[in-house]
Structures are given as C-alpha cells and as structure tokens.
Amino acid sequence: MIRKTRLFTPGPTPLLPAAQFAMAAADIHHRTPEFRALFLKVLGQLKVFIGTQNDVLLLSCSGTGAMEASVSNITSPGDRVLVLTAGKFGERWVDLAKAFGCVVDVIQKPYGETFDLAEIKAALKPEHKAVYMQASETSTGASHNVEAVAALVKGTDTLLIVDGITGLGTQTFDVDGWGVDILIGGSQKAVMIPPGLAYLSVSEKAWKAMDAAKSPRYYFDLRKERKNQVKGETAYTPAVALVAGLGAALDYIAGQAGGDLEKGRIALIDNAQVNAAATRAGLVALGFTLFAPASSSAAATAVAVPEGMDSGVVVKALKAKFSLVTANGQGTMQGKIFRVAHLGFFDFLDTVAFMGAMEHIAKETLGLPVVFGQGVAAAQEVFAKTASSH
Ligand SMILES: *Cc1c(COP(=O)(O)O)cnc(C)c1O
C-alpha cells in the first residue's frame, strides 16, 4: 500500500495549495510598486484577521522574533515584568525577559493547567511594565483566559503582551475592547503557510512605551518598521514569497465565508474548535487521557498515554504505519504526551482519518481493548451535533 504524508503538528501545519502556487509565482522585487501593493493588501487583511484597529506589522522571522521584539521594544534593563507560565512557551517569555535584563516575577502553574485569576490579581503591581502570557500554550494543549487577564490589566499603566501564535485562528479575541497591547501570530500556524513570518498588532499604549524603552534592538526595531510599513515597505528585505502566500491564504479564509474575511476568521476558529472537540471525544473513547482537560486549546490536543507506556511509541507508529506526523511532548513531557493539531488547513475528514489511524495504533501498538470504529464514532457524534446547531 502507498502512504500519504499528513502533518498533524501544531506548527508547521499543512500548506494551503493556493498559497504554495502564490509563493512559487512570487519573483518580485521588494522595492517596487507591485510589492508595495501586495504588502499593503496583506497588512490590511491581517488587521481584519486579528480583528483590530491597532497597527499591524509583519516581520520576517519565526514567531519567537516577534516575541523578542515585544520585550526589547518596550522594556529597559531593570524593568519589572510579570510572566504567566504553564508550559515551554511561557518559559520562553521568562528567558527572553531575563535576556534583556528585566526583573521577572513569575506566576507558574503545572504543565497542563491554566492560571488562577485571584493569584494574578494579587501579584500584579503598578511597577510591572508588562504582563506576558500565551493565549494557547502549544506545549501542553492548554488555553488561557486572555479576556480575564486583560480585565485585570486594563486601566493600569501595565501593558498586556499576548503570544497568540496558536491562539489566533483557534480562539476569539477582542483586541481593542479587551485592551491587548501586543498580540502575536506566526505564519506556520493557523494561516497555512510555511514558517518564516511573524505578525503582531501594537496598541497606542505600547507605541508610547517604546519611546522610553532603552533595551538594545536593531533588526527588530518596531518603530522603524512602523515608519516603513505604512508606506508598504520594510526596513530590510522581507520574505517576499511568504507575503504572497499569506495574501493567498487570507483570500482563501475570506472565500470560506463568501469573501468576508471577518466571517471567514470566525469559520476558521469554529472549524478548529469542532475538530478539537471531536478529537478529544474520539481519544477519550479509545481510552486515552487528555493532558489539559479543564482548559483545552482548540489549536492542539495533548494526549497522555496510559501509565507505563511511552508516547514516543505512538508518534513513531503513526509515522511508520500511516506517514502521519504528530508531535511528542517537549522537555519533561517527552514520552508522556503526544500532540495533534487542529489549527489551519484541517477539515473534519482529516480528523476522521487521524482517528482511524489512532484506532490501529491503540489496538495493535498499545494493545488497548479497542473495537474499530469506536473513536471515529465518538468524533462523528460531535460533528453531527455541531453541524445540526450551525
Ligand atoms: C510555534 C509557537 C511559537 C513560535 O515558535 P517559533 O519556532 O519561533 O515559530 C511561540 N509560541 C507558541 C505558543 C507557539 O505555538
């Protein structure tokens, strides 16, 4: 039998064919009217995709570059910041803030959990320059309540910086209403194109903070980028082909709702949520335990394997038998969990395919008492219920 490679990793995610064609055709120079028109069009689309009136910038780097810019552009060495962390990406905020000399207060929760609002409220001090958090902690499959944290920060001098790299396209944000000062996205996640671009919205409050910030920065100088990007330019050579691909992907998302990108964004979020719910139901029906059951992210599901088993075996078997690529746990979660993605270019039939493969692995590789159809049936029930309510 032949096998067909299927990416189920929470970044990079499967590529949209229309975006791949646009990338292949993008041999244009970046200092031309053609590129400026494309770039301004994509920046406009990103505003709608993020759902904000704030400035949106596009950077040629992976998501971490925009995270770094969100530290270096608004802090000075010695500034106090508050980081909320419950996973590997939260830990990245801690490391970044320390690298730029910030005094870092940390609220840390065990992997798989989310935060306690009362604890954040008690820890938040007027001297905190910024609060850093994830919307979706991709390493644990947990979703965090950005709206509730924003309500605590709003009206203070503190900035709220959110890594929405797997939150965008899988959960709803009211960036301007809630007062999210910086919200970051990445190209290899919900927007269906390869790694290499990060995008972020920046509030007026954040721009003001940049005037006083003294941390060193050069490539990721957001004020320099803002001056250029309003004219459809970038400070340095941008990843031209990826910009073309992103435009095509955002066109596709709009096309899913008759050309209305705002509605298309909602459809994309809904899609991830339905696929995540169906996947959770299917995996539980097969005897697996969810790693973040109380606050599950729609971006990716993290699954614990039964006690005494190695999650790496599942990842390897899915790859060997079906060419289906999932992600092992990171750090101390390696061997304990595996992660399967729902963000971006997945539809419900992809979920059915994944569940069909999982039934084989559960039964034959792990020796669980599985009857074929058991996981798929549970997923189908979730789909049928949501389809009838739409
Ligand atoms: C993918 C991801 C990132 C960015 O990682 P890069 O490898 O720099 O693209 C950051 N935060 C979260 C939550 C992610 O899922």
Coordinates of all heavy atoms in Angstrom, one line a residue, residues 1-4 321-323:
M1 N 0.8 -1.2 0.0 CA 0.0 0.0 0.0 C 0.9 1.3 0.0 O 2.0 1.2 0.5 CB -0.9 0.0 1.3 CG -1.9 -1.0 1.2 SD -2.9 -1.0 2.7 CE -4.0 0.4 2.4
I2 N 0.4 2.3 -0.6 CA 1.1 3.6 -0.5 C 0.7 4.4 0.7 O -0.4 4.1 1.3 CB 1.0 4.4 -1.8 CG1 -0.5 4.9 -1.9 CG2 1.4 3.6 -3.0 CD1 -0.6 6.1 -2.8
R3 N 1.5 5.3 1.1 CA 1.2 6.2 2.2 C 1.3 7.6 1.8 O 2.0 8.0 0.9 CB 2.1 5.9 3.4 CG 1.9 4.6 4.1 CD 2.9 4.3 5.0 NE 4.2 4.3 4.4 CZ 5.4 4.4 5.0 NH1 5.4 4.4 6.3 NH2 6.5 4.5 4.4
K4 N 0.5 8.4 2.4 CA 0.4 9.8 2.1 C 0.8 10.6 3.3 O 0.2 10.4 4.4 CB -1.1 10.1 1.7 CG -1.4 11.3 1.0 CD -2.9 11.2 0.5 CE -3.5 12.5 0.5 NZ -4.9 12.4 0.0
K321 N 3.4 3.7 10.2 CA 2.3 3.0 9.6 C 1.5 3.8 8.6 O 1.0 3.4 7.6 CB 1.3 2.5 10.6 CG 1.6 1.2 11.2 CD 0.4 0.6 11.9 CE 0.7 -0.8 12.3 NZ -0.1 -1.4 13.4
F322 N 1.4 5.1 8.9 CA 0.5 6.0 8.1 C 1.1 7.2 7.6 O 0.4 8.1 7.0 CB -0.8 6.3 9.0 CG -1.6 5.1 9.4 CD1 -1.5 4.7 10.7 CD2 -2.4 4.5 8.5 CE1 -2.2 3.6 11.1 CE2 -3.1 3.4 8.9 CZ -3.0 2.9 10.2
S323 N 2.4 7.4 7.8 CA 3.1 8.7 7.4 C 2.4 9.9 8.0 O 2.3 11.0 7.4 CB 3.1 8.8 5.9 OG 4.4 8.5 5.4

